[in-house]
Amino acid sequence: MRDVAALAGVSVKTVSRVVNEESGVKADVRARVLAAATRLDYRHNLAASNLRRSRARTGVVGVLVQDLGNSFSASLVRALEDAWRDRGLMVLAASLDEAAEREQQIVENLITRRVDGLVIVPASPRHDYLAPEIRAGLPVVFADRLPRGIDTDSVTTDNRRGAFLAINHLVHVGHRRIAVLTDAPSIATAEERISGVQDALAAHGREGTLDLLHTGIRSEADAEAAVRALMAEPSPPTAIFAARNVLAQGSVRALAEMGLRHSVALVGFDDFPLAQLLDPPLTVVRQDVARLARLVGTRLLERLDGDTSAPIHEIIKPTLIARGSGEIPPS
Amino acid sequence: MRDVAALAGVSVKTVSRVVNEESGVKADVRARVLAAATRLDYRHNLAASNLRRSRARTGVVGVLVQDLGNSFSASLVRALEDAWRDRGLMVLAASLDEAAEREQQIVENLITRRVDGLVIVPASPRHDYLAPEIRAGLPVVFADRLPRGIDTDSVTTDNRRGAFLAINHLVHVGHRRIAVLTDAPSIATAEERISGVQDALAAHGREGTLDLLHTGIRSEADAEAAVRALMAEPSPPTAIFAARNVLAQGSVRALAEMGLRHSVALVGFDDFPLAQLLDPPLTVVRQDVARLARLVGTRLLERLDGDTSAPIHEIIKPTLIARGSGEIPPS
DNA sequence: TTGAAAGCGGTACCAG
DNA sequence: CTGGTACCGCTTTCAA
């Protein structure tokens, strides 16, 4: 900047004015400065500029999701990007893969980078570690899963109701032996979904009959193996509820390989782009990711704009989309 | 930092030493500093620290893809993240949606943030604008599409060969009326794929018979509409080559709605997670995204580590995965 | 092992 | 409309 100033024959302050498009610089001076900047390949340094600036903004929001490669995470990030583009906010993204330590570590790293805000699909069971940051005014919005140990904005799905819808649907179709595939119950979302399953069974006078619950199923491969094992048992289930999209995909894979696609009912949680094109089309409990992302994006912007009201917890109602796989009757 | 120093009764320099885990600080002093830092909720400021540091590194790499919501882009970003995690590099991601201006604009913005490097799946036709940055030593790796107007590292797929494989396959199955769906030829990748189609037709003595080429098909919806229109014509094609993954998905959707899934052959370009589970399973030309990402990630790391040799252009060979949809014979 | 002072690239504040 | 000077938060350099 000093070089540019020298070449243009002005002070650094004037260069600063031009670079920041402040008013009050004569056109010819402006032109000279711009010319000098171009000639010297000058590049403004945002970090340095923010250092002295009073209300500094990096224009970066940290977004922590489970797996950027998963359609749920990817859609979320994409929608946030769109929601923030015209505000000039960029997304610094990271996958957590359900690793609690990674979450804390990355958050710490992001704080060090002075991100303007944080969107978190948490992997850790408690989030007390964020308390100082939130107290200091950092906007933090939890997505898809609720914060624990602190109170901050969140946008989540009614997981309990979603699972209820799924099981209720299968029971109505006539199923009695329903296998449930889900993550470890230590993950809040999984726990809520299990509760929903129990609600549905209770509603049909079948409390405590959840003998086919398989927890700790974390990946597509896990689900595939679990379904294979299940179907090989003496009295296999006639229906499966896979409580996360990759688990549904693994289930479809296993059923396809075993030639059971059209004889075992399957309902997934989370819709995904091609669910409708599978054979049979997959019945799912859909949570509206676009809506979720929109709400999250808006909430963060409002906090960024100075809204300091009490934390808001928004809950999205899931809906059941019957497409075929969930309507297969028990054999 | 000054406050921490005061509270701990040491100089700022000593605090700096502790924060950066430099050796040569007595344990008790270290402990005092740490305690003071905790009590004051001190957070190290990476930007400020980099300002004076000699070989400053922000630890951020800008990754520009077409659409983070698309499985190709998402997988690429995810794999890069993994490749860089233990080096402490984070990904600042952005979607371009084939908008050339956005590409330049975002790159400019990222330069301002002093990213350590750039990975670009370009949207713009020429990249001269990057010349000064590359000259200044910024590592830039192009992925999936070649740079034009400048010379810098790239990792791309042999698109021409991929398209050749697809058409060749369909011709061998017996097809003569093959529709080709692709992006505008102004996109280099699309152009190469069209060349590949022509190669294949020529190889079968059918030069110039490319009467069913449909360019400018940009989205899943475009593809769906195009296929609907095609199949409604007096003498519809007996096979379709959809030269990008979303176009294949749109085609499947259209064929499914028209009840033609099992009577019209379809080959896609780019594999995606559920292609195998569609009905019929989708035959595709696969480009190994994981491999692509690995090569891109490695190349960038090497440049970051000071490799200043001439730009390297790696080309990945695509393979045809026959799964069913591409083996449907002409009716 | 520790500290003082200069300086990184830029902006704030106030004077001219 | 333009410039001078202090200073942002931290590291470098060199002296103690």
Side-chain angles (χ1 to χ4, degrees):
Chain A
M1 190 152 171
R2 202 172 37 216
D3 298 343
V4 174
L7 181 57
V10 297
S11 75
V12 286
K13 176 65 223 188
T14 298
V15 177
S16 171
R17 287 199 179 93
V18 172
V19 167
N20 288 298
E21 301 180 327
E22 285 175 30
S23 59
V25 179
K26 278 210 294 205
D28 63 318
V29 176
R30 205 181 113 81
R32 275 212 324 277
V33 170
L34 255 21
T38 306
R39 222 160 67 74
L40 296 178
D41 275 342
Y42 169 76
R43 299 282 179 269
H44 191 63
N45 184 328
L46 198 72
S49 114
N50 273 330
L51 203 50
R52 183 60 160 94
R53 214 185 281 279
S54 40
R55 42 191 245 323
R57 284 284 161 87
T58 55
V60 174
V61 177
V63 177
L64 317 199
V65 297
Q66 290 315 312
D67 171 13
L68 277 171
N70 174 295
S71 74
F72 175 78
S73 303
S75 314
L76 176 62
V77 174
R78 180 51 156 100
L80 288 176
E81 213 195 333
D82 289 342
W84 295 335
R85 192 188 323 286
D86 36 327
R87 284 285 297 258
L89 288 180
M90 298 210 65
V91 171
L92 196 49
S95 300
L96 300 179
D97 294 318
E98 303 293 354
E101 339 74 61
R102 197 134 105 206
E103 176 187 319
Q104 275 203 44
Q105 187 181 311
I106 292 176
V107 165
E108 206 170 313
N109 184 290
L110 293 173
I111 299 291
T112 258
R113 313 193 116 87
R114 297 293 186 272
V115 289
D116 291 342
L118 244 29
V119 169
I120 308 183
V121 179
S124 69
R126 295 193 59 81
H127 314 104
D128 320 68
Y129 71 95
L130 275 167
E133 322 303 342
I134 291 173
R135 209 178 311 122
L138 181 73
V140 179
V141 181
F142 275 65
D144 189 47
R145 302 176 183 179
L146 288 166
R148 289 185 175 182
I150 51 166
D151 193 19
T152 189
D153 294 326
S154 70
V155 183
T156 54
T157 302
D158 188 340
N159 288 297
R160 188 160 178 170
R161 171 150 184 83
F164 174 89
L165 290 175
I167 298 297
N168 191 51
H169 186 71
L170 289 170
V171 170
H172 273 299
V173 172
H175 292 282
R176 291 296 171 267
R177 290 188 62 72
I178 304 172
V180 176
L181 267 45
T182 181
D183 264 308
S186 61
I187 295 174
T189 310
E191 190 193 358
E192 291 166 24
R193 292 179 189 176
I194 293 171
S195 297
V197 170
Q198 286 163 334
D199 289 350
L201 293 178
H204 290 277
R206 298 183 44 228
E207 296 88 343
T209 57
L210 196 44
D211 52 328
L212 289 169
L213 176 65
H214 290 253
T215 61
I217 315 287
R218 309 186 47 157
S219 65
E220 180 166 349
D222 284 355
E224 189 174 341
V227 170
R228 281 179 166 287
L230 269 170
M231 301 317 296
E233 281 180 11
S235 71
T238 60
I240 299 172
F241 170 44
R244 205 152 58 81
N245 65 5
V246 296
L247 305 189
Q249 290 162 21
S251 301
V252 171
R253 213 173 282 272
L255 292 178
E257 284 160 9
M258 303 178 87
L260 296 172
R261 284 209 266 202
H262 295 279
S263 47
V264 174
L266 176 62
V267 176
F269 204 123
D270 286 359
D271 202 3
F272 49 90
L274 297 169
Q276 192 180 20
L277 297 178
L278 297 182
D279 174 35
L282 187 67
T283 293
V284 297
V285 175
R286 166 191 286 167
Q287 42 179 340
D288 190 339
V289 187
R291 177 127 184 280
L292 181 115
R294 212 158 41 234
L295 290 171
V296 169
T298 308
R299 175 73 41 245
L300 196 91
L301 286 181
E302 281 170 3
R303 294 303 182 186
L304 242 28
D305 289 341
D307 176 359
T308 54
S309 56
I312 299 174
H313 301 281
E314 293 177 278
I315 296 173
I316 294 179
K317 288 282 168 218
T319 52
L320 186 108
I321 314 280
R323 295 204 178 104
S325 73
E327 293 72 56
I328 296 170
S331 47
Chain B
M1 191 152 167
R2 203 173 36 214
D3 299 342
V4 174
L7 182 58
V10 298
S11 74
V12 287
K13 175 65 225 189
T14 299
V15 177
S16 170
R17 286 200 179 93
V18 172
V19 166
N20 289 298
E21 300 180 329
E22 285 175 29
S23 60
V25 179
K26 278 209 295 205
D28 62 318
V29 175
R30 203 181 113 82
R32 271 207 333 272
V33 169
L34 254 20
T38 306
R39 219 155 74 72
L40 296 179
D41 275 343
Y42 169 76
R43 300 283 179 267
H44 192 61
N45 184 328
L46 200 71
S49 114
N50 273 330
L51 204 49
R52 184 61 160 94
R53 212 183 281 279
S54 40
R55 44 193 244 324
R57 284 283 162 87
T58 54
V60 174
V61 177
V63 177
L64 316 200
V65 297
Q66 290 315 311
D67 171 12
L68 277 171
N70 176 294
S71 74
F72 175 78
S73 304
S75 313
L76 175 62
V77 173
R78 180 51 156 103
L80 288 176
E81 213 195 332
D82 289 342
W84 296 335
R85 192 188 321 286
D86 36 327
R87 285 285 298 256
L89 289 181
M90 299 209 65
V91 171
L92 197 49
S95 300
L96 300 180
D97 295 318
E98 304 292 356
E101 338 76 60
R102 198 134 105 206
E103 176 186 319
Q104 275 204 44
Q105 188 181 310
I106 292 176
V107 166
E108 206 171 311
N109 184 291
L110 293 173
I111 299 292
T112 258
R113 313 193 115 86
R114 296 295 185 271
V115 291
D116 290 343
L118 243 30
V119 168
I120 307 182
V121 179
S124 69
R126 295 192 60 80
H127 313 103
D128 322 68
Y129 72 94
L130 275 167
E133 322 302 341
I134 291 174
R135 209 178 310 122
L138 180 75
V140 179
V141 181
F142 276 64
D144 190 48
R145 302 176 183 180
L146 288 167
R148 289 187 175 180
I150 51 165
D151 194 16
T152 189
D153 294 327
S154 71
V155 183
T156 54
T157 300
D158 188 339
N159 288 297
R160 188 161 177 168
R161 171 148 184 84
F164 174 89
L165 289 176
I167 299 297
N168 191 51
H169 186 70
L170 288 171
V171 170
H172 274 299
V173 171
H175 292 281
R176 291 296 169 268
R177 289 189 61 71
I178 305 172
V180 175
L181 267 45
T182 181
D183 263 308
S186 62
I187 295 175
T189 309
E191 190 193 0
E192 290 165 26
R193 291 180 188 176
I194 294 171
S195 298
V197 169
Q198 286 163 334
D199 289 350
L201 292 177
H204 290 277
R206 299 183 41 229
E207 295 88 344
T209 57
L210 195 45
D211 52 330
L212 289 168
L213 176 65
H214 290 254
T215 61
I217 315 287
R218 309 186 49 157
S219 66
E220 180 166 348
D222 283 356
E224 189 174 340
V227 170
R228 280 179 167 286
L230 269 171
M231 300 317 295
E233 283 179 10
S235 70
T238 61
I240 298 171
F241 169 44
R244 203 151 61 80
N245 65 6
V246 296
L247 305 190
Q249 290 163 21
S251 301
V252 172
R253 211 172 282 271
L255 292 177
E257 284 161 8
M258 302 177 88
L260 296 172
R261 287 209 264 202
H262 294 279
S263 47
V264 175
L266 176 63
V267 175
F269 204 123
D270 284 1
D271 202 2
F272 49 91
L274 297 169
Q276 192 180 20
L277 297 178
L278 298 180
D279 172 35
L282 188 66
T283 294
V284 298
V285 176
R286 167 191 286 166
Q287 41 179 341
D288 190 340
V289 186
R291 176 128 184 280
L292 180 115
R294 212 159 40 238
L295 290 172
V296 169
T298 308
R299 174 72 42 246
L300 196 91
L301 285 181
E302 281 170 2
R303 294 304 182 184
L304 241 28
D305 289 340
D307 175 0
T308 54
S309 56
I312 299 174
H313 301 281
E314 293 178 277
I315 296 174
I316 293 179
K317 288 281 170 220
T319 52
L320 186 108
I321 315 282
R323 295 204 178 104
S325 74
E327 292 73 55
I328 296 171
S331 48

